[in-house]
Amino acid sequence: WSWEPTGTLSADEPALPDMKGVIDYAPEKERADWLDVFFCARARFLVGSISGPFNVATVFGVPVLGTNWFPLGYWPLSIRDLFIHKLLLDTNKDRLVSIRDFMKLPMGVHSPQFYEAHGLEVVQNTSGDIRAAVQEMLDRLDGRFEDGEEDKERVRQYMTLSSVCGIEQNARPVAAFLKAHPDLLEEAEGRP
């Protein structure tokens, strides 16, 4: 299901098409607090961002697929959780900011003025990144996903580079996301 805190969709976000097993709760007029909790508790997994519903799902042991996760350092909580985060584009160099450099930024900075002053542009996840993440979550839950050796190495590098104060997070990045964005790990691989 999808969740929108205001209960309405913006004009540029159409409702989800009808799909078996999917409830698009966001555009519903008949909303209730208890239904918000019920859907979080009964979902196979929750696709969401860094907001209240992901915490509710976690309390009920429901895996979370975090999308557009931002800022880095505030990870989903469970070892069953996956995530993809927003990217940072260094507009001065016209390239993505590596995880090592991303983690050097002040924690919790949400100010557009900060990013603008430093020539950084926050980049939303693409529909392709989200689609691949959902497919990986489904495959993992069904026992059909097996990390290849390259996937394991990319995840290991990511986890090392993104640890906060040397403490690794429980959740892991989506393998397809790391494969699609190799420049996130470039410093770990020794490239300039």
Side-chain angles (χ1 to χ4, degrees):
W1 63 279
S2 66
W3 181 82
E4 177 75 23
T6 61
T8 60
L9 292 174
S10 66
D12 60 342
E13 294 183 49
L16 292 173
D18 288 338
M19 293 179 278
K20 182 180 177 185
V22 175
I23 299 169
D24 189 3
Y25 185 53
E28 293 297 321
K29 290 182 174 75
E30 302 297 323
R31 295 177 46 107
D33 294 344
W34 71 269
L35 279 175
D36 294 349
V37 174
F38 176 81
F39 286 134
C40 287
R42 298 293 298 164
R44 183 160 186 219
F45 67 98
L46 180 134
V47 179
S49 61
I50 191 165
S51 63
F54 102 85
N55 288 309
V56 176
T58 299
V59 166
F60 286 98
V62 173
V64 171
L65 171 58
T67 60
N68 282 305
W69 211 262
F70 196 78
L72 296 188
Y74 302 103
W75 310 110
L77 303 172
S78 166
I79 198 163
R80 297 174 59 200
D81 297 343
L82 297 175
F83 66 91
I84 57 178
H85 54 77
K86 292 180 183 180
L87 301 170
L88 274 183
L89 177 67
D90 183 333
T91 58
N92 298 318
K93 298 177 183 176
D94 195 31
R95 57 182 270 185
L96 291 178
V97 173
S98 69
I99 294 302
R100 178 171 286 153
D101 289 341
F102 208 142
M103 293 304 292
K104 289 179 186 175
L105 295 173
M107 290 281 292
V109 172
H110 302 288
S111 165
Q113 294 83 4
F114 173 87
Y115 296 113
E116 187 177 321
H118 290 86
L120 300 172
E121 180 182 326
V122 179
V123 180
Q124 302 281 331
N125 296 144
T126 66
S127 59
D129 283 337
I130 294 171
R131 187 177 305 111
V134 168
Q135 188 61 58
E136 184 173 325
M137 179 63 96
L138 288 168
D139 289 345
R140 284 181 183 279
L141 291 173
D142 290 340
R144 294 188 311 252
F145 189 90
E146 189 172 324
D147 288 301
E149 288 306 314
E150 290 179 355
D151 293 328
K152 289 178 186 176
E153 179 57 19
R154 280 190 287 268
V155 168
R156 186 198 64 72
Q157 289 176 352
Y158 185 98
M159 299 290 258
T160 299
L161 291 168
S162 65
S163 68
V164 177
C165 300
I167 301 169
E168 289 186 4
Q169 68 270 16
N170 287 324
R172 57 167 287 146
V174 170
F177 183 74
L178 295 183
K179 187 174 184 177
H181 302 288
D183 31 356
L184 292 175
L185 302 174
E186 66 184 7
E187 289 183 23
E189 296 173 356
R191 291 197 293 263

